[in-house]
Amino acid sequence: MPAKKIDGKAYAAGLRDRIAIAVKNLPDQPTLAVVLVGEDPASKVYVKNKIKFTIETGMRSVEHKLDEDVSEEEVIRIVKELNADDSVDGILVQLPLPKHISENRVIEEIHPDKDVDGLTETSAGRLSLGKPGLRPCTPTGSVMLAKDALGELSGKNCVILGRSILVGKPAAMLFLEQNCTVTIAHSRTQDLQGVVGGADILVAAVGRPQMVKADWLKKGACVIDVGINRVPHPEKPGKTYLVGDVDYKPSLETAGSITPVPGGVGPMTIACLLRNTVLAACMRRGWDEPDNLSF
Ligand code: NDP
C-alpha cells in the first residue's frame, strides 16, 4: 500500500482556522511585530505571508522595514523599543540579516516572553529544562504532523537527521517531550543508513536534495521531510523546482506516511508562528491558554 501523504498545507489551514477562533475569544487582539532588513526576495515573500496570515487570523501586525545598510545599533534599538511596547506580544526578526549585522546579538535582544521564533538562549534553555516557553516553529510543526499521522508518539524510535540550532536540536527536544526514543544523526554519524533504518519516525533536516533513499527507510515509517532544496529541473532547461531531503516518489512505496515538499512542513512554520503569538499574548497578559491550540 502506498504511503499516506501528510498534507501540511491542509493541516496548517485548519490550525489557522483554530487560531482565528481562539483570537475571537480573547479579551484583546494579540499583536505581532515583524522586523525586515533589506531586500532579500525570499525574506520579503515570507514576511508578506506572515503579515497576511496575522491579519487573516484576527491579530494586529506591526511592521518595521529597514534599509539594507541600517546599522546593527539601529536594529537593536527597534527591538528594544518593541520589547518595551506593552501592546506588542510577539517580535519576529526575519533572518538572514545582512552580513554587517550579528544575528546572534539581535536575537538575544528579543525579550524571551515575546520570542515567537523561540530562538533566544532563554527559550532554548526553557525547552531543554522542560519549562513553559515559546518553542521554535518548524520543529513544533514537525511534531504536530507526526502526531496527526500516528496519533500517540510515546515509545516510538525517532531519528532526527541534522543537529542545527534552528531545526535539529529543538526537534530532538520536542520529540523527547513526546516520550519518543530520540537519536540525533549528523554528518559524522557512522552507518547513517542503518541508523535511519531503525526509525519509526524520521525527521530529515539536512538540506541535501533527496539524500535519504527509499530503501533506507523502515517499512511503514512516518517521514517528516523538513528540507527545502531548489534543484535544476531534469526536463525543463533553465528551470528549477523544490525537493526535500528524502527521495519522495520511491519512498511512497516504503514509508507508511510522508510529507511532500512543498506542501508538508513548510506551511506549518508560519501557522506555528501565529500560534506562538497567541500563546505569548496569553502568557504575558495572564489570559487562559485557548484549549483548541494544544496538540
Ligand atoms: P543546517 O545546514 O544548519 O544543518 C544541516 C544539518 O545536517 C547539520 O547538522 C549537518 O551535520 C547535517 N548534515 C549535512 N550533511 C549531512 C550528511 N551528508 N549526512 C548527515 N548529516 C548531514 O540546516 P537547517 O537545519 O537550517 O535546515 C535544514 C533543511 O531544512 C534545509 O533544507 C532548510 O532549507 C530546511 N528548512 C525548512 C524550514 C521549513 O519551514 N520547512 C525551516 C528551516 C529550515 P553537521 O552538524 O555535522 O554539519
Side-chain angles (χ1 to χ4, degrees):
M1 210 170 58
K4 177 182 166 253
K5 176 178 141 187
I6 305 173
D7 190 343
K9 203 172 160 191
Y11 189 100
L15 178 56
R16 289 196 304 273
D17 289 346
R18 284 189 275 146
I19 291 167
I21 292 166
V23 166
K24 265 197 193 125
N25 291 321
L26 292 174
D28 192 9
Q29 277 180 303
T31 298
L32 174 65
V34 181
V35 180
L36 171 67
V37 182
E39 298 292 326
D40 179 67
S43 293
K44 280 168 89 173
V45 173
Y46 288 138
V47 163
K48 197 174 135 219
N49 285 330
K50 284 168 187 174
I51 294 169
K52 174 176 167 255
F53 287 129
T54 302
I55 292 166
E56 269 182 26
T57 47
M59 296 190 274
R60 266 190 298 260
S61 169
V62 174
E63 298 112 40
H64 288 266
K65 292 182 180 164
L66 309 172
D67 290 341
E68 180 84 24
D69 59 1
V70 67
S71 68
E72 185 174 291
E73 276 59 42
E74 177 60 7
V75 181
I76 288 175
R77 191 192 63 76
I78 288 169
V79 169
K80 283 183 170 165
E81 200 175 276
L82 294 170
N83 282 339
D85 184 341
D86 201 41
S87 70
V88 170
D89 297 292
I91 302 170
L92 170 107
V93 177
Q94 183 64 43
L95 302 178
L97 291 172
K99 291 212 166 22
H100 67 280
I101 301 176
S102 158
E103 289 184 354
N104 281 344
R105 265 202 71 200
V106 171
I107 297 296
E108 276 314 307
E109 289 295 339
I110 298 173
H111 192 288
D113 294 347
K114 298 189 178 189
D115 175 24
V116 282
D117 255 345
L119 294 179
T120 60
E121 287 177 15
T122 303
S123 294
R126 287 173 178 171
L127 171 60
S128 73
L129 295 174
K131 292 191 169 172
L134 297 163
R135 309 309 196 209
C137 300
T138 305
T140 302
S142 302
V143 174
M144 284 181 178
L145 293 182
K147 262 199 132 166
D148 189 52
L150 295 178
E152 183 57 50
L153 303 185
S154 181
K156 304 268 189 230
N157 285 327
C158 177
V159 173
I160 313 282
L161 198 40
R163 56 173 165 178
S164 73
I165 289 166
L166 193 62
V167 188
K169 277 185 193 167
M173 290 293 172
L174 287 168
F175 278 93
L176 189 60
E177 222 169 48
Q178 296 292 324
N179 298 314
C180 288
T181 304
V182 176
T183 305
I184 306 177
H186 46 78
S187 67
R188 314 288 170 87
T189 297
Q190 291 182 11
D191 184 21
L192 188 61
Q193 187 174 340
V195 172
V196 169
D200 302 313
I201 303 165
L202 174 70
V203 179
V206 269
R208 303 255 182 261
Q210 299 168 317
M211 186 186 95
V212 177
K213 302 301 174 199
D215 62 359
W216 293 21
L217 301 173
K218 181 174 176 176
K219 190 87 188 144
C222 170
V223 179
I224 306 293
D225 191 352
V226 180
I228 301 177
N229 309 288
R230 190 164 283 285
V231 296
H233 200 288
E235 283 138 31
K236 298 178 189 162
K239 299 264 181 215
T240 59
Y241 74 127
L242 293 179
V243 295
D245 290 340
V246 179
D247 199 3
Y248 180 75
K249 268 198 190 144
S251 298
L252 287 167
E253 299 306 320
T254 40
S257 50
I258 183 166
T259 57
V261 176
V265 177
M268 295 299 293
T269 301
I270 294 184
C272 289
L273 171 78
L274 303 172
R275 178 178 175 272
N276 271 352
T277 306
V278 174
L279 299 182
C282 293
M283 280 193 283
R284 257 179 17 92
R285 306 206 215 180
W287 301 335
D288 287 342
E289 206 171 280
D291 48 20
N292 70 340
L293 297 186
S294 51
F295 59 91

